Amino acid sequence: MSGHETSGVVAVEGAELRWRRLGRGERTVVAAHQGPGGPPRPLWLRMLAEVPGLNVLSLELRGTDGSPRSHEDLGDRWYERWAADVARVADVLGETSYVYAGASHGAVVGWHLALARPPGLRALVSVVGAPHGRDAGPGRSSGWEQRRAAAHDRRPAEEIFASMRPPTSDPLRLRRRAKARERYLKSLETLDPETLPRAGVALPHLRTDAEVAAELRRVDVPVLVAGGMQDRLCRPEDNLRAAAAVPGARLVLFQDHGHSTLLDEEPEPLIDQIRLFLSPTAANDRPDHEESSPCL
């Protein structure tokens, strides 16, 4: 798989944020990289950039590149800061109309972005990253904290990788899984966990499921919520709760998929759903449709 690619750096309020643009399409999908341990061009984003008419602007979030330089400790305000960074980079690069698509922590950034509603944002695609519920007790340990625990320790690293991937006998998935495992373990060899911000949970000021639902009802852009039925980090009920709260949201849950498998193991069905969501013909399925896409 190959395609056009450009890259650069944007200075934003004390940080230099790296970006890559994949593809040549006129319609832009902005995505924030979810942190170290993954490839700079994840498979699902490369496939999305191959969709006719699209280009993908992939940003690396401040403080997540694993470099030894220090950064301000923002406590529970990291997602708020990252969402502001995304909006600012899009503005600097002249993106006046874009869809935001994020996975895992990158999806949580998207929820904060949708609530802030910068002028250029037209839609949100949330992949395995809906806000967690609150009524069941304290929030679950984040992927960031798991990565801290796994750094330089092979056994928990192997356990974490396996926990994100349900069994499969598909040969293509198994080949991609082996490559993803190799990249994941190699990335941990040089990672200093103390350089990573402790991201916490989405919308940390909310204390109950009812408060989360009330907040998400304020989202006024089209939303696609996608997740895996076997995801132990962003569970099906988290995705369902978010989709039920957002007016007009679409929800797609994939059987036999965990937290990472839709991103680097079998992204094809996810890309199909995103294409459908972004299709200009999607609006024609509504009784009072407009001629243009509901997203762009």
Side-chain angles (χ1 to χ4, degrees):
M1 184 181 301
S2 63
H4 183 259
E5 178 177 328
T6 57
S7 62
V9 177
V10 173
V12 179
E13 296 185 23
E16 292 187 344
L17 307 180
R18 292 196 288 265
W19 59 267
R20 295 175 183 268
R21 191 184 299 273
L22 312 176
R24 297 178 180 271
E26 294 183 356
R27 300 161 62 185
T28 297
V29 177
V30 177
H33 197 272
Q34 60 181 340
R41 295 173 297 277
L43 180 57
W44 77 285
L45 290 185
R46 284 188 281 136
M47 286 186 172
L48 191 58
E50 294 289 328
V51 174
L54 297 183
N55 75 83
V56 173
L57 178 61
S58 179
L59 312 179
E60 187 172 299
L61 300 172
R62 72 168 72 203
T64 66
D65 61 357
S67 66
R69 69 176 182 268
S70 61
H71 53 69
E72 180 184 3
D73 184 4
L74 298 178
D76 62 2
R77 295 183 292 113
W78 274 107
Y79 287 119
E80 180 183 340
R81 174 68 266 174
W82 286 331
D85 285 346
V86 169
R88 180 57 180 160
V89 171
D91 182 58
V92 169
L93 295 181
E95 300 296 344
T96 59
S97 178
Y98 60 90
V99 172
Y100 180 87
S104 191
H105 287 279
V108 177
V109 173
W111 288 103
H112 284 253
L113 187 70
L115 288 165
R117 191 60 164 92
L121 182 67
R122 296 292 179 266
L124 167 65
V125 177
S126 169
V127 183
V128 299
H132 291 160
R134 306 298 199 266
D135 290 356
R140 296 185 289 278
S141 175
S142 73
W144 294 108
E145 293 178 348
Q146 285 188 327
R147 187 161 291 162
R148 287 173 184 265
H152 312 306
D153 192 334
R154 184 66 171 259
R155 184 183 58 81
E158 294 276 14
E159 292 175 353
I160 290 170
F161 182 87
S163 72
M164 297 184 182
R165 300 170 188 271
T168 182
S169 59
D170 181 88
L172 177 59
R173 287 186 62 172
L174 289 173
R175 287 196 300 271
R176 289 174 174 173
R177 179 173 297 189
K179 292 180 180 179
R181 174 181 170 274
E182 181 179 353
R183 286 194 304 266
Y184 175 73
L185 295 176
K186 186 173 182 60
S187 72
L188 294 176
E189 293 176 0
T190 57
L191 177 65
D192 179 359
E194 297 308 316
T195 66
L196 299 180
R198 186 182 297 273
V201 298
L203 310 173
H205 61 290
L206 304 177
R207 296 291 178 262
T208 67
D209 286 3
E211 290 180 0
V212 172
E215 185 76 351
L216 296 185
R217 279 195 289 272
R218 296 198 302 107
V219 175
D220 63 352
V221 295
V223 174
L224 171 64
V225 181
M229 288 295 292
Q230 283 71 41
D231 192 338
R232 300 180 182 181
L233 292 180
C234 181
R235 299 177 181 178
E237 53 265 37
D238 295 322
N239 292 303
L240 176 58
R241 185 185 304 106
V246 177
R250 301 185 188 184
L251 171 66
V252 182
L253 295 176
F254 296 90
Q255 184 60 268
D256 300 323
H257 278 282
H259 192 68
S260 300
T261 52
L262 287 169
L263 310 178
D264 60 16
E265 195 170 293
E266 191 183 29
E268 288 86 350
L270 170 65
I271 300 304
D272 286 343
Q273 290 298 321
I274 296 176
R275 290 181 66 169
L276 179 62
F277 177 64
L278 300 182
S279 171
T281 63
N284 296 332
D285 295 332
R286 301 180 179 180
D288 56 346
H289 67 269
E290 299 177 358
E291 293 185 0
S292 61
S293 167
C295 303
L296 295 171

PDB file of all heavy atoms in Angstrom, residues 161-180 230 254-258 260-262 264-269:
ATOM      1  N   PHE A 161      -0.570  -7.078  25.692  1.00  0.00           N
ATOM      2  CA  PHE A 161      -0.797  -7.238  24.251  1.00  0.00           C
ATOM      3  C   PHE A 161      -1.867  -8.294  23.999  1.00  0.00           C
ATOM      4  O   PHE A 161      -2.795  -8.080  23.203  1.00  0.00           O
ATOM      5  CB  PHE A 161       0.505  -7.622  23.564  1.00  0.00           C
ATOM      6  CG  PHE A 161       0.373  -7.749  22.070  1.00  0.00           C
ATOM      7  CD1 PHE A 161       0.524  -6.640  21.256  1.00  0.00           C
ATOM      8  CD2 PHE A 161       0.102  -8.978  21.480  1.00  0.00           C
ATOM      9  CE1 PHE A 161       0.393  -6.750  19.874  1.00  0.00           C
ATOM     10  CE2 PHE A 161      -0.031  -9.093  20.106  1.00  0.00           C
ATOM     11  CZ  PHE A 161       0.118  -7.979  19.297  1.00  0.00           C
ATOM     12  N   ALA A 162      -1.766  -9.437  24.672  1.00  0.00           N
ATOM     13  CA  ALA A 162      -2.721 -10.525  24.449  1.00  0.00           C
ATOM     14  C   ALA A 162      -4.129 -10.142  24.897  1.00  0.00           C
ATOM     15  O   ALA A 162      -5.119 -10.557  24.279  1.00  0.00           O
ATOM     16  CB  ALA A 162      -2.254 -11.781  25.184  1.00  0.00           C
ATOM     17  N   SER A 163      -4.244  -9.344  25.956  1.00  0.00           N
ATOM     18  CA  SER A 163      -5.558  -8.985  26.484  1.00  0.00           C
ATOM     19  C   SER A 163      -6.356  -8.114  25.528  1.00  0.00           C
ATOM     20  O   SER A 163      -7.580  -8.033  25.634  1.00  0.00           O
ATOM     21  CB  SER A 163      -5.405  -8.265  27.820  1.00  0.00           C
ATOM     22  OG  SER A 163      -4.884  -6.956  27.647  1.00  0.00           O
ATOM     23  N   MET A 164      -5.686  -7.461  24.596  1.00  0.00           N
ATOM     24  CA  MET A 164      -6.356  -6.584  23.644  1.00  0.00           C
ATOM     25  C   MET A 164      -6.779  -7.293  22.375  1.00  0.00           C
ATOM     26  O   MET A 164      -7.374  -6.668  21.491  1.00  0.00           O
ATOM     27  CB  MET A 164      -5.434  -5.409  23.280  1.00  0.00           C
ATOM     28  CG  MET A 164      -5.088  -4.517  24.446  1.00  0.00           C
ATOM     29  SD  MET A 164      -4.094  -3.098  23.902  1.00  0.00           S
ATOM     30  CE  MET A 164      -3.795  -2.276  25.480  1.00  0.00           C
ATOM     31  N   ARG A 165      -6.514  -8.620  22.283  1.00  0.00           N
ATOM     32  CA  ARG A 165      -6.730  -9.337  21.029  1.00  0.00           C
ATOM     33  C   ARG A 165      -7.389 -10.689  21.267  1.00  0.00           C
ATOM     34  O   ARG A 165      -6.749 -11.621  21.735  1.00  0.00           O
ATOM     35  CB  ARG A 165      -5.395  -9.511  20.302  1.00  0.00           C
ATOM     36  CG  ARG A 165      -4.761  -8.165  19.974  1.00  0.00           C
ATOM     37  CD  ARG A 165      -3.341  -8.290  19.465  1.00  0.00           C
ATOM     38  NE  ARG A 165      -2.754  -6.959  19.349  1.00  0.00           N
ATOM     39  CZ  ARG A 165      -2.833  -6.181  18.267  1.00  0.00           C
ATOM     40  NH1 ARG A 165      -3.469  -6.622  17.197  1.00  0.00           N
ATOM     41  NH2 ARG A 165      -2.280  -4.982  18.264  1.00  0.00           N
ATOM     42  N   PRO A 166      -8.677 -10.825  20.936  1.00  0.00           N
ATOM     43  CA  PRO A 166      -9.354 -12.109  21.085  1.00  0.00           C
ATOM     44  C   PRO A 166      -8.797 -13.143  20.121  1.00  0.00           C
ATOM     45  O   PRO A 166      -8.151 -12.793  19.120  1.00  0.00           O
ATOM     46  CB  PRO A 166     -10.817 -11.771  20.768  1.00  0.00           C
ATOM     47  CG  PRO A 166     -10.746 -10.556  19.918  1.00  0.00           C
ATOM     48  CD  PRO A 166      -9.568  -9.780  20.400  1.00  0.00           C
ATOM     49  N   PRO A 167      -9.024 -14.423  20.399  1.00  0.00           N
ATOM     50  CA  PRO A 167      -8.480 -15.482  19.531  1.00  0.00           C
ATOM     51  C   PRO A 167      -8.990 -15.349  18.100  1.00  0.00           C
ATOM     52  O   PRO A 167     -10.116 -14.915  17.850  1.00  0.00           O
ATOM     53  CB  PRO A 167      -9.003 -16.765  20.186  1.00  0.00           C
ATOM     54  CG  PRO A 167      -9.282 -16.386  21.598  1.00  0.00           C
ATOM     55  CD  PRO A 167      -9.737 -14.958  21.563  1.00  0.00           C
ATOM     56  N   THR A 168      -8.154 -15.740  17.154  1.00  0.00           N
ATOM     57  CA  THR A 168      -8.541 -15.762  15.745  1.00  0.00           C
ATOM     58  C   THR A 168      -7.754 -16.854  15.042  1.00  0.00           C
ATOM     59  O   THR A 168      -6.640 -17.191  15.455  1.00  0.00           O
ATOM     60  CB  THR A 168      -8.280 -14.406  15.068  1.00  0.00           C
ATOM     61  OG1 THR A 168      -8.726 -14.470  13.704  1.00  0.00           O
ATOM     62  CG2 THR A 168      -6.798 -14.057  15.080  1.00  0.00           C
ATOM     63  N   SER A 169      -8.334 -17.405  13.976  1.00  0.00           N
ATOM     64  CA  SER A 169      -7.630 -18.382  13.141  1.00  0.00           C
ATOM     65  C   SER A 169      -7.401 -17.839  11.745  1.00  0.00           C
ATOM     66  O   SER A 169      -6.890 -18.551  10.883  1.00  0.00           O
ATOM     67  CB  SER A 169      -8.437 -19.694  13.066  1.00  0.00           C
ATOM     68  OG  SER A 169      -9.726 -19.447  12.520  1.00  0.00           O
ATOM     69  N   ASP A 170      -7.766 -16.585  11.529  1.00  0.00           N
ATOM     70  CA  ASP A 170      -7.606 -15.988  10.214  1.00  0.00           C
ATOM     71  C   ASP A 170      -6.119 -15.781   9.908  1.00  0.00           C
ATOM     72  O   ASP A 170      -5.423 -15.093  10.664  1.00  0.00           O
ATOM     73  CB  ASP A 170      -8.342 -14.654  10.150  1.00  0.00           C
ATOM     74  CG  ASP A 170      -8.228 -14.007   8.787  1.00  0.00           C
ATOM     75  OD1 ASP A 170      -9.073 -14.297   7.918  1.00  0.00           O
ATOM     76  OD2 ASP A 170      -7.295 -13.208   8.591  1.00  0.00           O
ATOM     77  N   PRO A 171      -5.601 -16.329   8.803  1.00  0.00           N
ATOM     78  CA  PRO A 171      -4.164 -16.234   8.517  1.00  0.00           C
ATOM     79  C   PRO A 171      -3.657 -14.797   8.369  1.00  0.00           C
ATOM     80  O   PRO A 171      -2.579 -14.468   8.859  1.00  0.00           O
ATOM     81  CB  PRO A 171      -4.011 -17.010   7.198  1.00  0.00           C
ATOM     82  CG  PRO A 171      -5.207 -17.908   7.140  1.00  0.00           C
ATOM     83  CD  PRO A 171      -6.307 -17.162   7.813  1.00  0.00           C
ATOM     84  N   LEU A 172      -4.432 -13.947   7.693  1.00  0.00           N
ATOM     85  CA  LEU A 172      -4.006 -12.565   7.509  1.00  0.00           C
ATOM     86  C   LEU A 172      -3.944 -11.837   8.842  1.00  0.00           C
ATOM     87  O   LEU A 172      -2.975 -11.118   9.130  1.00  0.00           O
ATOM     88  CB  LEU A 172      -4.943 -11.838   6.551  1.00  0.00           C
ATOM     89  CG  LEU A 172      -4.639 -10.350   6.320  1.00  0.00           C
ATOM     90  CD1 LEU A 172      -3.226 -10.175   5.768  1.00  0.00           C
ATOM     91  CD2 LEU A 172      -5.672  -9.729   5.385  1.00  0.00           C
ATOM     92  N   ARG A 173      -4.962 -12.040   9.661  1.00  0.00           N
ATOM     93  CA  ARG A 173      -4.957 -11.394  10.984  1.00  0.00           C
ATOM     94  C   ARG A 173      -3.789 -11.881  11.825  1.00  0.00           C
ATOM     95  O   ARG A 173      -3.161 -11.101  12.539  1.00  0.00           O
ATOM     96  CB  ARG A 173      -6.289 -11.646  11.709  1.00  0.00           C
ATOM     97  CG  ARG A 173      -7.448 -10.870  11.147  1.00  0.00           C
ATOM     98  CD  ARG A 173      -8.704 -11.039  11.973  1.00  0.00           C
ATOM     99  NE  ARG A 173      -8.535 -10.544  13.345  1.00  0.00           N
ATOM    100  CZ  ARG A 173      -9.534 -10.442  14.229  1.00  0.00           C
ATOM    101  NH1 ARG A 173     -10.749 -10.838  13.885  1.00  0.00           N
ATOM    102  NH2 ARG A 173      -9.308  -9.981  15.432  1.00  0.00           N
ATOM    103  N   LEU A 174      -3.485 -13.165  11.756  1.00  0.00           N
ATOM    104  CA  LEU A 174      -2.373 -13.704  12.541  1.00  0.00           C
ATOM    105  C   LEU A 174      -1.031 -13.133  12.081  1.00  0.00           C
ATOM    106  O   LEU A 174      -0.159 -12.842  12.904  1.00  0.00           O
ATOM    107  CB  LEU A 174      -2.366 -15.231  12.457  1.00  0.00           C
ATOM    108  CG  LEU A 174      -3.503 -15.939  13.208  1.00  0.00           C
ATOM    109  CD1 LEU A 174      -3.484 -17.428  12.918  1.00  0.00           C
ATOM    110  CD2 LEU A 174      -3.396 -15.683  14.707  1.00  0.00           C
ATOM    111  N   ARG A 175      -0.874 -12.944  10.770  1.00  0.00           N
ATOM    112  CA  ARG A 175       0.370 -12.353  10.268  1.00  0.00           C
ATOM    113  C   ARG A 175       0.497 -10.906  10.722  1.00  0.00           C
ATOM    114  O   ARG A 175       1.563 -10.470  11.164  1.00  0.00           O
ATOM    115  CB  ARG A 175       0.415 -12.431   8.735  1.00  0.00           C
ATOM    116  CG  ARG A 175       0.672 -13.825   8.195  1.00  0.00           C
ATOM    117  CD  ARG A 175       1.095 -13.774   6.730  1.00  0.00           C
ATOM    118  NE  ARG A 175       0.076 -13.165   5.874  1.00  0.00           N
ATOM    119  CZ  ARG A 175      -0.916 -13.842   5.289  1.00  0.00           C
ATOM    120  NH1 ARG A 175      -1.026 -15.159   5.501  1.00  0.00           N
ATOM    121  NH2 ARG A 175      -1.772 -13.232   4.507  1.00  0.00           N
ATOM    122  N   ARG A 176      -0.590 -10.170  10.617  1.00  0.00           N
ATOM    123  CA  ARG A 176      -0.558  -8.774  11.065  1.00  0.00           C
ATOM    124  C   ARG A 176      -0.376  -8.689  12.582  1.00  0.00           C
ATOM    125  O   ARG A 176       0.296  -7.775  13.083  1.00  0.00           O
ATOM    126  CB  ARG A 176      -1.849  -8.067  10.657  1.00  0.00           C
ATOM    127  CG  ARG A 176      -1.968  -7.807   9.164  1.00  0.00           C
ATOM    128  CD  ARG A 176      -3.331  -7.230   8.824  1.00  0.00           C
ATOM    129  NE  ARG A 176      -3.430  -6.834   7.420  1.00  0.00           N
ATOM    130  CZ  ARG A 176      -4.559  -6.430   6.842  1.00  0.00           C
ATOM    131  NH1 ARG A 176      -5.690  -6.370   7.554  1.00  0.00           N
ATOM    132  NH2 ARG A 176      -4.579  -6.084   5.572  1.00  0.00           N
ATOM    133  N   ARG A 177      -0.949  -9.631  13.296  1.00  0.00           N
ATOM    134  CA  ARG A 177      -0.807  -9.644  14.759  1.00  0.00           C
ATOM    135  C   ARG A 177       0.649  -9.854  15.155  1.00  0.00           C
ATOM    136  O   ARG A 177       1.152  -9.205  16.093  1.00  0.00           O
ATOM    137  CB  ARG A 177      -1.689 -10.739  15.364  1.00  0.00           C
ATOM    138  CG  ARG A 177      -1.596 -10.842  16.886  1.00  0.00           C
ATOM    139  CD  ARG A 177      -2.609 -11.821  17.448  1.00  0.00           C
ATOM    140  NE  ARG A 177      -3.974 -11.393  17.197  1.00  0.00           N
ATOM    141  CZ  ARG A 177      -5.056 -11.975  17.724  1.00  0.00           C
ATOM    142  NH1 ARG A 177      -4.921 -13.018  18.536  1.00  0.00           N
ATOM    143  NH2 ARG A 177      -6.262 -11.535  17.443  1.00  0.00           N
ATOM    144  N   ALA A 178       1.331 -10.750  14.463  1.00  0.00           N
ATOM    145  CA  ALA A 178       2.734 -11.009  14.778  1.00  0.00           C
ATOM    146  C   ALA A 178       3.576  -9.762  14.559  1.00  0.00           C
ATOM    147  O   ALA A 178       4.466  -9.437  15.362  1.00  0.00           O
ATOM    148  CB  ALA A 178       3.251 -12.167  13.924  1.00  0.00           C
ATOM    149  N   LYS A 179       3.304  -9.027  13.485  1.00  0.00           N
ATOM    150  CA  LYS A 179       4.046  -7.801  13.219  1.00  0.00           C
ATOM    151  C   LYS A 179       3.734  -6.736  14.268  1.00  0.00           C
ATOM    152  O   LYS A 179       4.632  -6.007  14.719  1.00  0.00           O
ATOM    153  CB  LYS A 179       3.717  -7.278  11.825  1.00  0.00           C
ATOM    154  CG  LYS A 179       4.221  -8.165  10.698  1.00  0.00           C
ATOM    155  CD  LYS A 179       3.863  -7.587   9.348  1.00  0.00           C
ATOM    156  CE  LYS A 179       4.366  -8.470   8.213  1.00  0.00           C
ATOM    157  NZ  LYS A 179       3.995  -7.934   6.879  1.00  0.00           N
ATOM    158  N   ALA A 180       2.469  -6.636  14.662  1.00  0.00           N
ATOM    159  CA  ALA A 180       2.083  -5.649  15.676  1.00  0.00           C
ATOM    160  C   ALA A 180       2.730  -5.967  17.021  1.00  0.00           C
ATOM    161  O   ALA A 180       3.166  -5.062  17.740  1.00  0.00           O
ATOM    162  CB  ALA A 180       0.561  -5.622  15.821  1.00  0.00           C
ATOM    163  N   GLN A 230     -15.217  -7.571  22.097  1.00  0.00           N
ATOM    164  CA  GLN A 230     -14.334  -8.181  23.087  1.00  0.00           C
ATOM    165  C   GLN A 230     -13.320  -7.180  23.665  1.00  0.00           C
ATOM    166  O   GLN A 230     -12.321  -7.573  24.254  1.00  0.00           O
ATOM    167  CB  GLN A 230     -13.586  -9.368  22.475  1.00  0.00           C
ATOM    168  CG  GLN A 230     -14.433 -10.625  22.333  1.00  0.00           C
ATOM    169  CD  GLN A 230     -15.482 -10.512  21.247  1.00  0.00           C
ATOM    170  OE1 GLN A 230     -15.218  -9.976  20.177  1.00  0.00           O
ATOM    171  NE2 GLN A 230     -16.680 -11.005  21.514  1.00  0.00           N
ATOM    172  N   PHE A 254     -18.140  -4.469  16.452  1.00  0.00           N
ATOM    173  CA  PHE A 254     -17.619  -5.563  15.628  1.00  0.00           C
ATOM    174  C   PHE A 254     -17.336  -6.788  16.490  1.00  0.00           C
ATOM    175  O   PHE A 254     -16.574  -6.712  17.464  1.00  0.00           O
ATOM    176  CB  PHE A 254     -16.327  -5.123  14.938  1.00  0.00           C
ATOM    177  CG  PHE A 254     -16.514  -4.001  13.958  1.00  0.00           C
ATOM    178  CD1 PHE A 254     -16.405  -2.685  14.377  1.00  0.00           C
ATOM    179  CD2 PHE A 254     -16.803  -4.262  12.625  1.00  0.00           C
ATOM    180  CE1 PHE A 254     -16.567  -1.640  13.483  1.00  0.00           C
ATOM    181  CE2 PHE A 254     -16.976  -3.226  11.715  1.00  0.00           C
ATOM    182  CZ  PHE A 254     -16.861  -1.911  12.152  1.00  0.00           C
ATOM    183  N   GLN A 255     -17.948  -7.911  16.115  1.00  0.00           N
ATOM    184  CA  GLN A 255     -17.708  -9.167  16.811  1.00  0.00           C
ATOM    185  C   GLN A 255     -16.285  -9.651  16.537  1.00  0.00           C
ATOM    186  O   GLN A 255     -15.714  -9.377  15.474  1.00  0.00           O
ATOM    187  CB  GLN A 255     -18.728 -10.204  16.345  1.00  0.00           C
ATOM    188  CG  GLN A 255     -18.663 -11.537  17.057  1.00  0.00           C
ATOM    189  CD  GLN A 255     -18.900 -11.409  18.562  1.00  0.00           C
ATOM    190  OE1 GLN A 255     -17.951 -11.254  19.322  1.00  0.00           O
ATOM    191  NE2 GLN A 255     -20.148 -11.473  18.983  1.00  0.00           N
ATOM    192  N   ASP A 256     -15.700 -10.360  17.512  1.00  0.00           N
ATOM    193  CA  ASP A 256     -14.358 -10.939  17.395  1.00  0.00           C
ATOM    194  C   ASP A 256     -13.264  -9.875  17.284  1.00  0.00           C
ATOM    195  O   ASP A 256     -12.210 -10.110  16.694  1.00  0.00           O
ATOM    196  CB  ASP A 256     -14.265 -11.887  16.190  1.00  0.00           C
ATOM    197  CG  ASP A 256     -15.246 -13.039  16.296  1.00  0.00           C
ATOM    198  OD1 ASP A 256     -15.455 -13.530  17.423  1.00  0.00           O
ATOM    199  OD2 ASP A 256     -15.822 -13.432  15.267  1.00  0.00           O
ATOM    200  N   HIS A 257     -13.514  -8.710  17.872  1.00  0.00           N
ATOM    201  CA  HIS A 257     -12.502  -7.652  17.875  1.00  0.00           C
ATOM    202  C   HIS A 257     -12.320  -7.091  19.279  1.00  0.00           C
ATOM    203  O   HIS A 257     -13.290  -6.943  20.036  1.00  0.00           O
ATOM    204  CB  HIS A 257     -12.877  -6.524  16.917  1.00  0.00           C
ATOM    205  CG  HIS A 257     -12.524  -6.826  15.502  1.00  0.00           C
ATOM    206  ND1 HIS A 257     -11.231  -6.713  15.024  1.00  0.00           N
ATOM    207  CD2 HIS A 257     -13.284  -7.268  14.466  1.00  0.00           C
ATOM    208  CE1 HIS A 257     -11.221  -7.057  13.740  1.00  0.00           C
ATOM    209  NE2 HIS A 257     -12.447  -7.408  13.383  1.00  0.00           N
ATOM    210  N   GLY A 258     -11.049  -6.804  19.596  1.00  0.00           N
ATOM    211  CA  GLY A 258     -10.706  -6.216  20.877  1.00  0.00           C
ATOM    212  C   GLY A 258     -10.311  -4.760  20.728  1.00  0.00           C
ATOM    213  O   GLY A 258     -10.770  -4.072  19.815  1.00  0.00           O
ATOM    214  N   SER A 260      -7.356  -3.287  19.972  1.00  0.00           N
ATOM    215  CA  SER A 260      -6.405  -2.877  18.938  1.00  0.00           C
ATOM    216  C   SER A 260      -6.644  -3.506  17.576  1.00  0.00           C
ATOM    217  O   SER A 260      -6.095  -3.045  16.577  1.00  0.00           O
ATOM    218  CB  SER A 260      -4.970  -3.221  19.382  1.00  0.00           C
ATOM    219  OG  SER A 260      -4.637  -2.566  20.587  1.00  0.00           O
ATOM    220  N   THR A 261      -7.433  -4.548  17.506  1.00  0.00           N
ATOM    221  CA  THR A 261      -7.505  -5.333  16.274  1.00  0.00           C
ATOM    222  C   THR A 261      -8.161  -4.593  15.114  1.00  0.00           C
ATOM    223  O   THR A 261      -7.887  -4.886  13.956  1.00  0.00           O
ATOM    224  CB  THR A 261      -8.248  -6.652  16.523  1.00  0.00           C
ATOM    225  OG1 THR A 261      -9.515  -6.368  17.146  1.00  0.00           O
ATOM    226  CG2 THR A 261      -7.435  -7.558  17.435  1.00  0.00           C
ATOM    227  N   LEU A 262      -9.033  -3.628  15.407  1.00  0.00           N
ATOM    228  CA  LEU A 262      -9.632  -2.844  14.335  1.00  0.00           C
ATOM    229  C   LEU A 262      -8.649  -1.829  13.756  1.00  0.00           C
ATOM    230  O   LEU A 262      -8.890  -1.264  12.690  1.00  0.00           O
ATOM    231  CB  LEU A 262     -10.867  -2.091  14.852  1.00  0.00           C
ATOM    232  CG  LEU A 262     -12.110  -2.929  15.115  1.00  0.00           C
ATOM    233  CD1 LEU A 262     -13.148  -2.120  15.875  1.00  0.00           C
ATOM    234  CD2 LEU A 262     -12.694  -3.448  13.797  1.00  0.00           C
ATOM    235  N   ASP A 264      -4.946  -2.356  13.594  1.00  0.00           N
ATOM    236  CA  ASP A 264      -3.754  -2.862  12.920  1.00  0.00           C
ATOM    237  C   ASP A 264      -3.853  -4.305  12.473  1.00  0.00           C
ATOM    238  O   ASP A 264      -2.924  -4.833  11.882  1.00  0.00           O
ATOM    239  CB  ASP A 264      -2.525  -2.706  13.831  1.00  0.00           C
ATOM    240  CG  ASP A 264      -2.665  -3.457  15.153  1.00  0.00           C
ATOM    241  OD1 ASP A 264      -3.547  -4.338  15.270  1.00  0.00           O
ATOM    242  OD2 ASP A 264      -1.887  -3.159  16.082  1.00  0.00           O
ATOM    243  N   GLU A 265      -5.001  -4.945  12.724  1.00  0.00           N
ATOM    244  CA  GLU A 265      -5.115  -6.367  12.410  1.00  0.00           C
ATOM    245  C   GLU A 265      -6.167  -6.651  11.334  1.00  0.00           C
ATOM    246  O   GLU A 265      -5.940  -7.460  10.430  1.00  0.00           O
ATOM    247  CB  GLU A 265      -5.455  -7.141  13.686  1.00  0.00           C
ATOM    248  CG  GLU A 265      -5.262  -8.616  13.593  1.00  0.00           C
ATOM    249  CD  GLU A 265      -5.373  -9.273  14.965  1.00  0.00           C
ATOM    250  OE1 GLU A 265      -4.505  -9.022  15.819  1.00  0.00           O
ATOM    251  OE2 GLU A 265      -6.341 -10.030  15.173  1.00  0.00           O
ATOM    252  N   GLU A 266      -7.301  -6.011  11.444  1.00  0.00           N
ATOM    253  CA  GLU A 266      -8.341  -6.133  10.418  1.00  0.00           C
ATOM    254  C   GLU A 266      -9.128  -4.821  10.350  1.00  0.00           C
ATOM    255  O   GLU A 266     -10.284  -4.752  10.758  1.00  0.00           O
ATOM    256  CB  GLU A 266      -9.289  -7.302  10.730  1.00  0.00           C
ATOM    257  CG  GLU A 266     -10.200  -7.624   9.553  1.00  0.00           C
ATOM    258  CD  GLU A 266     -11.197  -8.722   9.873  1.00  0.00           C
ATOM    259  OE1 GLU A 266     -11.581  -8.867  11.046  1.00  0.00           O
ATOM    260  OE2 GLU A 266     -11.592  -9.428   8.935  1.00  0.00           O
ATOM    261  N   PRO A 267      -8.514  -3.775   9.792  1.00  0.00           N
ATOM    262  CA  PRO A 267      -9.208  -2.484   9.716  1.00  0.00           C
ATOM    263  C   PRO A 267     -10.256  -2.400   8.610  1.00  0.00           C
ATOM    264  O   PRO A 267     -11.069  -1.466   8.608  1.00  0.00           O
ATOM    265  CB  PRO A 267      -8.068  -1.484   9.426  1.00  0.00           C
ATOM    266  CG  PRO A 267      -6.800  -2.234   9.636  1.00  0.00           C
ATOM    267  CD  PRO A 267      -7.120  -3.669   9.371  1.00  0.00           C
ATOM    268  N   GLU A 268     -10.265  -3.353   7.686  1.00  0.00           N
ATOM    269  CA  GLU A 268     -11.136  -3.247   6.520  1.00  0.00           C
ATOM    270  C   GLU A 268     -12.605  -3.002   6.864  1.00  0.00           C
ATOM    271  O   GLU A 268     -13.226  -2.091   6.277  1.00  0.00           O
ATOM    272  CB  GLU A 268     -10.993  -4.492   5.627  1.00  0.00           C
ATOM    273  CG  GLU A 268      -9.673  -4.570   4.877  1.00  0.00           C
ATOM    274  CD  GLU A 268      -8.553  -5.224   5.680  1.00  0.00           C
ATOM    275  OE1 GLU A 268      -8.749  -5.446   6.894  1.00  0.00           O
ATOM    276  OE2 GLU A 268      -7.488  -5.515   5.099  1.00  0.00           O
ATOM    277  N   PRO A 269     -13.216  -3.759   7.792  1.00  0.00           N
ATOM    278  CA  PRO A 269     -14.625  -3.487   8.095  1.00  0.00           C
ATOM    279  C   PRO A 269     -14.843  -2.127   8.752  1.00  0.00           C
ATOM    280  O   PRO A 269     -15.886  -1.492   8.545  1.00  0.00           O
ATOM    281  CB  PRO A 269     -15.020  -4.634   9.037  1.00  0.00           C
ATOM    282  CG  PRO A 269     -13.740  -5.169   9.571  1.00  0.00           C
ATOM    283  CD  PRO A 269     -12.734  -4.967   8.489  1.00  0.00           C
TER     284      PRO A 269
END
